[in-house]
Amino acid sequence: MPASSADWLADARQAALEAYEAEPVPTWRRSGFWTTSLRNLDVDALEPRRYEAVADAAELPAVVRDALDDEPGALIVQRGGSTVHLRVDDDLAAQGVVVCSLEQAVADHGDLVREWYMRRLSETEGKFPAATAAFWTGGVFVHVPKNVRVERPIQSVYVIDEPGTAQYAHTLAVVGEHAECAIREYCLGDDIDGQALHAGAFELYARPGAKAKVAHFQDWGRGEIYDISTKRVEIARDAHVSWVPVHLGGRLTKQTLDIVTAEPGSDMRHTGLYFTERDEHLDLFTTDLHEAGHTTGDTVWKGALTGESRASYEGLIEIVENAQESHTYLQTHQMLLSQKAKGDAIPSLIVKTDSVSASHGGTVGELDEEQIFYMMSRGIPRIEAVRTLVEGYFEEVVQRLDDPGLEALVRRRIGEKLLAAEDQVREFVGHRAGAAQEA
Amino acid sequence: MSLEIQNLHVRIEEREILRGLDLTVRKGETHALMGPNGSGKSTLANTIMGNPNYEVTEGRILFNGEDLTEADPDERARAGLFMAFQYPATIPGVSVANFLRMAVNARREEPIKVKEFGSMLGENMELLKIDRQFTSRYLNEGFSGGEKKRAEILQMAMLKPEIAVLDETDSGLDIDALRIVSGGVDALRGPEMGSLIITHYTRILDYIKPDFVHIMLDGRIVREGGPDLADTLEEQGYDFIREEVAAADAS
Ligand SMILES: Nc1ncnc2c1ncn2[C@@H]1O[C@H](COP(=O)(O)OP(=O)(O)OP(=O)(O)O)[C@@H](O)[C@H]1O
Ligand SMILES: [Mg+2]
């Protein structure tokens, strides 16, 4: 029998199913022009798809192979609804590190999974979190035991390469006390001709004294892939997590990303990046939640928009009552690179205690004409100046990935997107230069 | 080989800032340009370099006989013009070394070899007494005023322009830095380079002896002479020139 027949899990799925059925398909509205609507998504036409496992990574879909340019310590790949590939290096296994599908983990490590499963997530958060909790298949489980230090990254991949796919995904990661590791999760889509859905949940628990580097790399390609996900990271006493979500593509993305410093001494570094193009729609809401005093946070989110894309980033810092001596700040920037792109970047703050320091700032802007002139005055052509400035703008956040392979991938993709948008950017920047001259 | 500015009129936001300016700088010559605040010196420098905020309404800029009045800034730079900015822009995320490499490569067919670039950079940093680690910092980000000026001259040294306009490179430098930077500029001078040095002080001119001194007032060059004109100016201020100009206009 599949592992997911465990009674406790069956009960949890049942509760989630009921919550799912009770909820209508949501539309997310905020004051101003912003609405995220799923009216163009035909959910009923989608279904979970099953695939055969492949032992050799060379047989994985090309879109996955292209993103794997260095050798991770463990690799798990879910295609559609099925875990199709799993490799864990012997040295990791010898250290007691567990990387496997969540289904498998329910069978093999039932107590451990049950202890942590959906501690910080709930099926009552809305239609899609409920759907994910009710319908997930495959999934990813990572456990790094106490005091274990893993050198090479642990990598999970969710891939969608056929239209009509509904992928319900759930990743659970527990980094034990004083353990250290890097986890990177990729969400990759082929340029499919048609619709698909990724409804995902991600939860990570960094136990006391742990150190974790967590990266999310999302690039759903040029197809109509919708991503509605909730990601949550909890940091225990004296633990440190650096979390870097990167959004580089998807027809519509609606994500809630929360990072919680839950106990004294816990420290977060939260860094995000997005680049939207064509008619993409990106809606992100992040919360840095300080649940205890003597916690620290440092958040930077940067985005750029081309085409007719829409991007909204809202970043909240919340410091609860009695969380004194917390120090945190959040900066967000957004750069418009075409005339028809539209977006906003909104930082906000809820502080329910005193003796904390919390600051936040946000800007939405365009490229600076003086910077372009400066570069051109050194002989650098306008379009190259623009490209360099945009890449330079992102460099701060790219470097916070602290992972040369992934940094190179992100830089390459940004470069490609800028090249694809070259004409609009030229027109946009040129138009403004012309306007400046007329003024 | 020369930069020729003929009857230049420039407008910013409906206001005429340069009002018929003539100036010729040949390769191998050093010119000093002095003038009170707001007289239009930076406007001239920016217009020479093709800043799109400055609108040329009359006159021409010729470089080696070619009319560059309408050329884009990058074209002018590749032709051999350079300007050291009074207020250089910050380029976040781009290191000094990478920026220099990009600028050097912009005027070459084949990208420069790593080794050649490295030794050229090393030499020029030595000349300007610049620390090694400086080149890995993002260009002008968090630079002190003096560091920015040094970075400007480092770029000039790397790009070897035919004509360089230095807009108040001496402002904001302490005494030691002034000596190093002016010494560097002096070392880069030669038959292959002409320069236009915009300054408020004669001190830099002690290190870099100009062949000609021009005085600018209200968007025009009103007096020209040799190095001693700068000394006269330092002693007497701009008032005596203003009076002379007023008298000449009245007659
Ligand atoms: N971008 C601009 N927008 C509006 N006015 C400008 C601009 N640049 C220059 N001006 C105006 O043009 C005039 C000349 O300025 P410019 O900077 O050329 O003077 P300057 O001789 O370089 O002065 P300083 O010695 O203070 O550097 C000033 O009145 C200035 O306010
Ligand atoms: Mg000036």
Side-chain angles (χ1 to χ4, degrees), chain B residues 12-13 15 17 35-44 53-54 86-87 167-168 200:
Chain B
I12 314 170
E13 293 169 5
R15 228 182 95 208
I17 308 290
N37 295 132
S39 54
K41 304 180 297 298
S42 294
T43 302
L44 174 63
N53 287 327
Y54 298 76
Q86 183 174 4
Y87 305 111
D167 192 359
E168 293 199 27
H200 286 294

Side-chain angles (χ1 to χ4, degrees), chain A residues 18-131:
Chain A
E18 284 163 20
Y20 168 76
E21 283 171 345
E23 286 279 337
V25 173
T27 295
W28 294 272
R29 284 203 177 79
R30 233 199 15 239
S31 56
F33 67 90
W34 195 265
T35 301
T36 295
S37 151
L38 301 175
R39 64 174 186 276
N40 294 323
L41 175 67
D42 185 4
V43 185
D44 296 336
L46 309 177
E47 52 178 22
R49 281 170 193 261
R50 291 297 190 167
Y51 298 90
E52 293 293 316
V54 294
D56 188 352
E59 289 168 50
L60 289 167
V63 64
V64 177
R65 280 182 281 122
D66 287 349
L68 301 178
D69 41 13
D70 59 358
E71 194 61 358
L75 175 64
I76 178 166
V77 180
Q78 173 164 344
R79 183 179 179 196
S82 308
T83 306
V84 293
H85 185 75
L86 173 66
R87 178 184 59 71
V88 182
D89 275 5
D90 292 344
D91 49 338
L92 260 74
Q95 286 178 296
V97 174
V98 179
V99 178
C100 65
S101 73
L102 189 54
E103 282 180 13
Q104 193 63 45
V106 170
D108 296 353
H109 308 278
D111 291 344
L112 186 59
V113 174
R114 190 175 181 180
E115 186 182 350
W116 294 101
Y117 179 77
M118 292 192 69
R119 247 205 207 194
R120 283 268 176 192
L121 296 170
S122 166
E123 73 282 356
T124 61
E125 290 184 51
K127 180 105 179 154
F128 287 87

Side-chain angles (χ1 to χ4, degrees), chain A residues 369-371 373-382 384 388-389 391-393 395-396 399 433 436-439, chain B residues 46 49-53 73-74 77-78 82-83 85 89-90 92-94 99 102-103 106-107 138-140 152 155:
Chain A
E369 206 48 57
E370 284 302 316
Q371 289 177 328
F373 169 61
Y374 184 84
M375 296 191 75
M376 290 178 79
S377 81
R378 299 327 187 205
I380 299 162
R382 175 176 286 273
E384 200 186 327
T388 306
L389 286 168
E391 286 168 358
Y393 161 77
E395 195 51 31
E396 174 191 11
Q399 282 188 3
Q437 195 136 40
E438 277 158 35
Chain B
N46 273 279
M49 216 57 232
N51 186 331
N53 287 327
D74 55 322
R78 291 194 300 269
F82 180 87
M83 148 156 110
F85 285 65
T90 300
V94 183
F99 185 84
M102 215 184 306
R107 61 202 66 210
Y138 295 153
L139 184 58
N140 293 327
E152 292 296 289
Q155 293 178 52

